[in-house]
Amino acid sequence: MDPLFLLLPAGAFFAGLVDAVVGGGGLIQIPLLFSTFPNAAPATLFGTNKLASVVGTTSAAIHYGRRISIPWRVVGPAAVAAAIGSWLGARAVYLFPPTALKPLILALLIVVAIYTFVRKDFGIHHQRLANVRRELQLAIAIGAGIGFYDGFFGPGTGSFLIFLFIRLLQMDFLHASVMAKIVNVSTNLAAIAFFVSHGAVFWQVAGVMALCNLAGSQVGAVLALRYGAGFIRKAFLLVVTVLILRFSADIFLA
């Protein structure tokens, strides 16, 4: 048996843990899937990753929802917009090469990391925008844009959602993470609907990874709720840094 098959469950567990705290589980699962199945179609591996991830993401969202007040008036429309964007993004996988986005994503991640590091109070305090209509418009725009990106490519989706919810909607890391989970569930389900309808999923692999991802997400949600916004901020910076290193290696060492 290929040793990489043994890494898939462990990788899915760790991906679920990381994703529950700050997003970025795709950073772990997608490279593992591409390494294990080098001859598979990219759409098949993206579909398998989505199916493996959605269980853990849903579990984390439910876990957070029991402890944190969720602004459904804002997150509901954002999730709907994200689902539409994600379906369109998944469709675009068949039309354009997702890897063409790597230089742009690298530049955005560097900006996100620098901004978060320099602003020590970024995401520590929670408040809401006074303009309710503006808040809703921004939430829908964030959902649609990042939803498309998640369906099309994916790595860093949770990190981008959290950053934008904090920067534009003035949330703290904990509330932004809850919002990101709910929106991410929506994007995953929409992308899965597209990939499954096109027969692009390794069902048995996705099933095993989903169980491990679920276990990891439970651990991650407990850690995030116990240690709060400060802990999530540190984890966020760590995940974004790893994403930067990964994209840099893909671009400059390929």
Side-chain angles (χ1 to χ4, degrees):
M1 177 183 291
D2 190 328
L4 287 173
F5 278 101
L6 301 178
L7 288 177
L8 285 175
F13 176 88
F14 188 58
L17 190 156
V18 171
D19 207 56
V21 177
V22 74
L27 171 69
I28 301 165
Q29 288 190 160
I30 290 176
L32 271 177
L33 284 166
F34 271 86
S35 297
T36 306
F37 304 101
N39 298 318
T44 299
L45 299 184
F46 284 131
T48 303
N49 171 66
K50 294 296 183 189
L51 195 59
S53 299
V54 71
V55 176
T57 305
T58 303
S59 173
I62 294 172
H63 199 92
Y64 280 125
R66 292 171 178 165
R67 299 279 298 276
I68 302 295
S69 177
I70 299 174
W72 288 106
R73 179 182 54 77
V74 177
V75 74
V80 172
I84 296 171
S86 180
W87 192 90
L88 293 173
R91 182 181 178 86
V93 169
Y94 287 90
L95 305 176
F96 308 101
T99 52
L101 285 178
K102 286 183 177 180
L104 174 61
I105 302 305
L106 175 60
L108 291 174
L109 286 168
I110 292 173
V111 171
V112 166
I114 292 173
Y115 187 93
T116 305
F117 183 79
V118 171
R119 292 285 299 273
K120 302 298 182 183
D121 61 340
F122 183 72
I124 300 301
H125 305 291
H126 180 69
Q127 59 187 95
R128 299 282 296 278
L129 292 181
N131 189 323
V132 176
R133 184 177 180 180
R134 178 63 173 166
E135 182 182 53
L136 182 59
Q137 290 173 339
L138 287 172
I140 291 173
I142 292 169
I146 302 301
F148 181 89
Y149 170 73
D150 190 36
F152 184 64
F153 194 32
T157 293
S159 300
F160 285 130
L161 283 171
I162 289 172
F163 178 82
L164 291 173
F165 285 145
I166 295 172
R167 178 66 182 84
L168 300 180
L169 302 185
Q170 299 181 15
M171 296 181 170
D172 64 10
F173 269 102
L174 187 57
H175 286 82
S177 185
V178 175
M179 288 269 289
K181 296 295 165 293
I182 296 169
V183 172
N184 214 178
V185 169
S186 177
T187 63
N188 282 344
L189 289 175
I192 287 169
F194 181 86
F195 287 129
V196 168
S197 68
H198 287 70
V201 169
F202 288 149
W203 289 99
Q204 292 182 330
V205 173
V208 172
M209 292 180 70
L211 291 175
C212 297
N213 192 281
L214 172 62
S217 73
Q218 292 293 301
V219 176
V222 169
L223 290 173
L225 288 168
R226 177 175 297 178
Y227 297 108
F231 167 75
I232 298 176
R233 180 181 186 275
K234 294 175 183 176
F236 176 84
L237 279 170
L238 176 61
V239 168
V240 171
T241 300
V242 173
L243 278 166
I244 290 171
L245 293 174
R246 180 205 156 180
F247 278 103
S248 297
D250 288 347
I251 294 169
F252 300 113
L253 300 180

